[in-house]
Amino acid sequence: MAGVLGTSIKRREDPALITGRGKYTDDLLVEGMAHAAIVRSPYAHARIRGIDTSAAKTYPGVVAVLTARDVAAAGIPGMVPVGWLLPDLKTPAHPMIAADTVRHVGDAVAVVVAEDRYVARDAAERVAVDYEPLDAVADVVAALEDGAPTVHDDAPGNVAFDWEIGEKDPVDAAFAQAAHTVELDLRNNRLIPHAIEPRAALASYDSSTGVMTIHMTSQNPHVHRLLMTLASLGMPEHKVRIVAPEVGGGFGSKIHHYADEAIVGLCSLKLDRPVKWTATRTETNLTDAHGRDHSTHCAMAFDGDGRITGLRVDTKAAMGAYLSTFAPAVPTYLYGTLMSGQYDIPAIHCHVTGVFTHTAPVDAYRGAGRPEATFVVERLMHLAGEATGLGPIEVRKRNFVPADAFPYQTQVALAYDSGNYGPAMDRALEMIGYDDLCREQASRRGNGNGRRQMGIGFSSYIEACGLAPSAVVGSLGAQAGQWESADVRVHPTGSVTVYTGSSSHGQGHETTFSQIVADRLGVAPEAVEVIHGDTDLVQFGMGTYGSRSAAVGGSAIAGSVDKIIEKGKKIAAHLLEAAAEDLEYEDGSFRVAGSPDRALGLGDVALQAYLAHNYPDDLEPGLSATTFYDPANFTYPFGTHVCVVEVDTETGSIELLRYTAVDDVGNVINPMIVDGQLHGGLAQGIGQALWENAVYDDSGQLVSGSLMDYALPKIHNLIQFELDRTTTPCPHNPLGVKGVGEAGAIASPPAVVNAVVDALKPFGVTHIDMPLTPEKVWRAVNAD
Amino acid sequence: MYPAQFDYRRAGSVDEALGLLQEHEDAKLMAGGHSLIPMMKLRLAQPPVVIDIGRLDELKGISEAGGGVRVGALTTHADIAASDILAASCPVLAEAAGHIGDAQVRNRGTIGGNIAHADPGSDLPPVLVLLGASVHLQSPSGARSVAAADFFQDLLMTDVGEDEILTHVDVPAQSAGAGAAYLKFEHPASGYAVVGAAASVTVQHGRCTAAGLVIGGVGAVPTAVDVSSLVGADLSDDAIATAASGLDTEDPLGDIFASGDYRVHVGKVYGKRALAAARDRA
Ligand SMILES: Cc1cc2nc3c(=O)[nH]c(=O)nc-3n(C[C@H](O)[C@H](O)[C@H](O)COP(=O)(O)OP(=O)(O)OC[C@H]3O[C@@H](n4cnc5c(N)ncnc54)[C@H](O)[C@@H]3O)c2cc1C
């Protein structure tokens, strides 16, 4: 249907979700279902001397209490796996239930199954674990110091990996000859994902068939099934079915294979009855993989014209107590490879140390590596604007990869396929009214450095998303491919069902994927059903993360639709007694070129495809097609964001005044959904910059474990974002789309911090670590 | 987020509630439940019996009484914020109630529960201390009243006895020429006050005749600041700033968001700003 692509049709998912009719895992009720509560370590590091389950077992309503012994007795592998390997990566064992040592607050030590969840909780408090507390280290820098407590004996010095990209010597040479240099020590604060739906699983083992069905909060059901088969439950894939019902957000936290879902599976297997577990918010905060947590030293060198000659980055990245599913990839291949930003940088070297700490694991969280890289590059560019005297705009423009230089090979592996960075920045400047802002700022500064200072911050970001060419990620250590699948079936009457391996958890796949089909196949979007999130219904697929659904999942759908049209042409040609080459497909009909009255609708052709009465000899019946689309490259969205803040220098409070974002995400399928993704990403990125912080104390207790202490952005903290787009289509996928899911979270933290630092320039402030709490700002203003 | 087992009783009258309190050791009264239930879900409170007093109409409502305003213990924050009576005679209490939490919290939470719970970040305690309100308590042996300034004893500790119910709060009407203001420095996570500054200034014939400043959030209980230097003064910004800088708390509260030092600093700044706002309204 013409005009359906690129229009803001409403999300078909919403009526049910908004009116409470969506079925999430915790909404599912199954006959005979019992409830699990997981007993978790209150210590960051302790030896387990013994566990006495007797009081819990005899508590009325308790069905069973299982510990590590039961994992062993069940004869399953019982391990939580890591799915991305780096050279010399230390991969200490991560038992799904701790046997002798716990390594973070929240580590699972036992599980209680009871007739209801209240009883399960009550009984969990009666499991007596005899702990011998040990010294713990929660801080990524402290963990590398001599004499720091060791998280794993098989990872001496708490080093999980030592990784580098780029070449060091040319960078050293660039610094030796530099006209200007800037440098920065920074912390990228640890974040807790906070999907609105906590993780949950309902495992139903059917002993009559030997099939285990797990309904769970998953961004990638097939990946979960694969990892469970290989590492935790050890059941063969054809005997495991993973279903992701409605999933209430993930931001990466529901990619990973956690101990919990496997524990619930074990319970069901052992008890031969369905068992459900839903994390409390506290549990979620203690056990969901966190994001970020870097300590970084970085520096940039410039020649006399303000052109970048070198970039040096050294990062200590927390891994937490165990390696989560994609953890090793995040601060390496999703971070070091982004260090060129939008700039032509001739020499880059990035060194990263992965560090075990006695904390929750750290893994992919919205942006995953790219926000951290963007923060490094864009903070340095802000400082460079000052150091070179060029200011924030000229220093960026002077170093942009020129529009005629694409494809552009960076010094850190990635080859940018397309880009045009200047217009996005110009548009942002125009929207924000930059010259007026500068005048206003000057008048406030002139006014004896009045109490309310104003600052303007920029972030010109690039990201690599649409994960990703399988061969490339395979060569970098991924233990999975990164293609996506789509099975598109045209029914005999011409309506369509799409089976996609991309599993929605709030993004709106059902709407946008139906738009893709509607546009290409010339049917109404309402005639397209989109099925996802069930390993029994859908062919193998990789899931939703890394802003890949449209670029990879959508391209797979487009591929299948194209195959269907090709086949349809053959059928139509037979029926119309024309040559297939002479047929055109437009607006849902097959037409003989030049004879408009010789045409057949999709429904007519589909019906014949299934009747196969009057049919080409060399063609199989049916009208469906499957595509496994493996992209040729990442996609590279980019843009410029501008943030304007007011800082009350008396208290350090920050008020957002304006936020303008001009993004280039390629062709747009549904502008409303794209804007919504940006709004959400911006809220999270601004949240990281101003409020969010996962804080562990020295003993490894999470002191910001509840929403009373962990400050998520609230609607009244934010402002109306001003958005616009430039459009540079992706040259290598059939839709020309890139990705938008993470852009807001990637771009915004440095824009906000740059704005605050700019506001405080009269006070000599050059950096404040995130989150920029009023107290930190006040102390920076008042520092000598 | 699952509370431990407990029994639920609903009281039909104040007397019945008092009887139930006598009958069940360690029972807890529940008004709006917006402090009690979160504590129970976190298992920080595990009362064996919860006595619901939420439907006792006799403890609800705002009325004029004895030259002041009587606010029933079960009056919600929303009703206080929207009260015409308070708008006319004691607008600062309504102003503070309007700053509490969000709409749901204001629709459920009550003044009695708020001050009986006595969170140091609560918005109402400093205002009630500033206004010289009296808190009325009832037990099987009779009724008594206590000045707000004496009611708050320590973190989450008040003068409410185990056998007592808080029935109402009496607030003196604002005198002619008085202006008052409540300014809140909100915690970005909890929404409670990191610092809440309640100030009043009375101006008669162009002269300041009375001034008060009470700061919440900095200490375990509301901290009164001696601003008597303003009486008879010109109420210039400088004079106000000097007066507010008298905030003195020996052992200020601190957390990962705001240290004790910083809270005291903000207390002074917000004290100054609240006094200036009160002056402008006087
Ligand atoms: C999300 C959220 C945000 C909030 N934000 C704020 C805020 O910004 N500022 C603020 O000030 N408060 C805030 N609150 C607290 C809110 O004001 C509560 O409503 C209030 O603290 C308690 O009132 P309640 O009626 O809910 O009391 P309950 O929770 O029912 O009771 C609290 C305590 O008081 C006792 N109690 C209650 N009534 C009586 C009585 N009549 N006599 C004797 N004892 C009694 C109970 O036994 C219990 O110990 C917030 C609460 C929530 C949940």
Side-chain angles (χ1 to χ4, degrees), chain A residues 117 121-122 125 280 282 451 648 650-651 653 691 703-704 707-711 714 716 774-775 778-779, chain B residues 1-5 42-43 46 185-190 192 256-259 261-262 265 269-270 272-273:
Chain A
R117 56 178 65 174
R121 279 276 142 206
D122 288 345
E125 291 193 347
T280 65
T282 310
R451 183 157 75 75
D648 178 341
E650 204 177 14
T651 60
S653 302
W691 303 295
V703 285
S704 59
L707 288 169
M708 294 295 277
D709 294 298
Y710 187 95
K714 301 180 181 65
H716 69 270
E775 177 164 2
W778 173 71
R779 290 194 186 279
Chain B
M1 301 296 157
Y2 304 105
Q5 303 275 351
L42 292 167
R43 300 199 168 199
Q46 303 201 1
F185 188 88
E186 194 181 296
H187 191 290
S190 70
Y192 278 82
I256 52 170
F257 176 70
S259 69
D261 287 355
Y262 177 69
H265 168 74
V269 174
Y270 270 60
K272 174 179 81 175
R273 293 181 188 177

Side-chain angles (χ1 to χ4, degrees), chain B residues 29 31-36 77 101 105 109-110 113-114 122-123 166 184 191-192:
Chain B
L29 297 173
H34 268 44
S35 291
L36 181 64
H77 308 319
V105 173
T110 66
N114 186 287
S122 272
D123 293 299
L166 200 165
K184 176 174 185 174
Y192 278 82

Side-chain angles (χ1 to χ4, degrees), chain A residues 458-611:
Chain A
F458 291 84
S459 173
S460 294
Y461 75 99
I462 178 101
E463 67 144 322
C465 64
L467 296 165
S470 298
V472 174
V473 295
S475 72
L476 304 180
Q479 302 298 295
Q482 293 288 338
W483 43 263
E484 194 50 272
S485 67
D487 183 10
V488 176
R489 302 183 195 166
V490 179
H491 302 297
T493 52
S495 68
V496 182
T497 301
V498 176
Y499 298 80
T500 171
S502 178
S503 184
S504 177
H505 47 287
Q507 290 82 359
H509 288 20
E510 288 148 47
T511 302
T512 50
F513 287 177
S514 73
Q515 285 179 271
I516 293 173
V517 174
D519 172 70
R520 251 184 151 71
L521 203 53
V523 297
E526 297 76 33
V528 184
E529 191 71 15
V530 179
I531 307 284
H532 60 82
D534 184 334
T535 57
D536 264 14
L537 292 179
V538 178
Q539 67 293 340
F540 203 97
M542 299 311 303
T544 291
Y545 45 83
S547 304
R548 66 193 305 275
S549 295
V552 192
S555 294
I557 293 170
S560 288
V561 170
D562 291 350
K563 289 177 191 169
I564 283 167
I565 292 171
E566 281 318 299
K567 183 169 181 183
K569 279 182 182 169
K570 290 184 188 152
I571 302 168
H574 177 85
L575 295 170
L576 295 167
E577 296 174 346
E581 306 80 67
D582 292 340
L583 284 194
E584 291 167 345
Y585 188 69
E586 217 187 305
D587 286 340
S589 353
F590 296 91
R591 295 199 183 105
V592 181
S595 336
D597 48 336
R598 291 175 68 201
L600 281 173
L602 177 66
D604 304 324
V605 171
L607 188 61
Q608 288 307 322
Y610 288 96
L611 294 175

Side-chain angles (χ1 to χ4, degrees), chain A residues 708, chain B residues 21 27-38 51 53 59 73-75 77 96 99-102 105-106 108-119 121-125 137 160-161 164-168 182 184 186 190-193:
Chain A
M708 294 295 277
Chain B
L21 265 182
K28 274 279 181 194
L29 297 173
M30 180 174 77
H34 268 44
S35 291
L36 181 64
I37 301 289
I51 303 166
I53 55 170
L59 298 184
L74 288 174
T75 312
H77 308 319
H99 278 291
I100 293 176
D102 51 34
V105 173
R106 292 193 293 276
R108 293 291 308 172
T110 66
I111 184 171
N114 186 287
I115 64 175
H117 184 64
D119 191 292
S122 272
D123 293 299
L124 300 182
L137 302 158
V160 182
E164 285 182 314
I165 290 182
L166 200 165
T167 52
H168 59 276
Y182 178 73
K184 176 174 185 174
E186 194 181 296
S190 70
Y192 278 82

